[in-house]
Amino acid sequence: MSNVHLNEEELQACALDGHTNQAAMEHVAGCGHCQSQISAYQTLYRHIREAKTPTLDFKTEELIPDRLPAINKEDSKETLYLYGFLVGTVALLIAGLIGLWSTIRWVFIDVTPFAIIIGLLLLSGLLIVQLMELYNTYRKKLNALNME
């Protein structure tokens, strides 16, 4: 009989199968410490096998649609009006420039830097409008999903 106790792997193998190599079995037969460890592992394994999977008294997939925001048609109309206004404004500016090009082209001959600055300001304004719209949309969605 060996005086060295079994390692964890050997103890678990004994608890699962009931046997390992011959030297380990001889050691377990005469060692109370290893026998108690094997007994503890067997109890643990039995409880794990007998444990039931917890069940919920409700279905989570039924709760999700109640928390999703409903489509608000007024918000859709506001967005449509905003885009319509922006497209209409740009279209009128382009039509005015094309129609009056022969009359006002002398203005744009030396004003290229100013045109670039104005273009950048317009693009910045559009970006700000888009970011505000995105923020408002996600704020509404987060408020609708609030679990309070």
Side-chain angles (χ1 to χ4, degrees):
M1 178 176 100
S2 171
N3 289 334
V4 178
H5 293 295
L6 300 179
N7 63 27
E8 295 297 316
E9 291 178 16
E10 292 171 328
L11 290 170
Q12 291 173 13
C14 285
L16 287 173
D17 313 30
H19 56 40
T20 58
N21 61 29
Q22 187 63 28
M25 294 305 293
E26 289 175 5
H27 173 78
V28 170
C31 179
H33 175 73
C34 289
Q35 288 175 3
S36 68
Q37 292 291 331
I38 290 171
S39 175
Y41 275 122
Q42 287 172 339
T43 304
L44 175 67
Y45 294 149
R46 187 179 73 249
H47 284 297
I48 290 172
R49 281 191 293 272
E50 292 173 357
K52 294 182 180 178
T53 304
T55 57
L56 301 174
D57 59 345
F58 58 90
K59 294 183 179 178
T60 55
E61 64 270 8
E62 292 174 356
L63 295 177
I64 293 173
D66 295 338
R67 297 287 182 186
L68 293 176
I71 296 174
N72 191 345
K73 295 190 180 203
E74 291 178 10
D75 290 341
S76 301
K77 288 181 182 178
E78 288 177 6
T79 305
L80 186 62
Y81 291 147
L82 177 65
Y83 284 128
F85 174 75
L86 292 174
V87 169
T89 303
V90 170
L92 283 175
L93 284 173
I94 291 172
L97 286 174
I98 291 172
L100 300 173
W101 182 248
S102 61
T103 308
I104 59 171
R105 74 176 164 196
W106 61 271
V107 173
F108 292 102
I109 292 173
D110 292 326
V111 191
T112 303
F114 295 112
I116 292 172
I117 292 171
I118 291 172
L120 290 175
L121 288 174
L122 285 173
L123 288 175
S124 300
L126 289 174
L127 180 63
I128 290 170
V129 169
Q130 287 293 318
L131 289 175
M132 289 181 355
E133 181 183 337
L134 184 67
Y135 172 75
N136 287 331
T137 301
Y138 284 104
R139 188 183 54 157
K140 288 177 187 176
K141 288 180 181 180
L142 287 175
N143 286 338
L145 292 174
N146 191 1
M147 296 298 208
E148 294 177 15

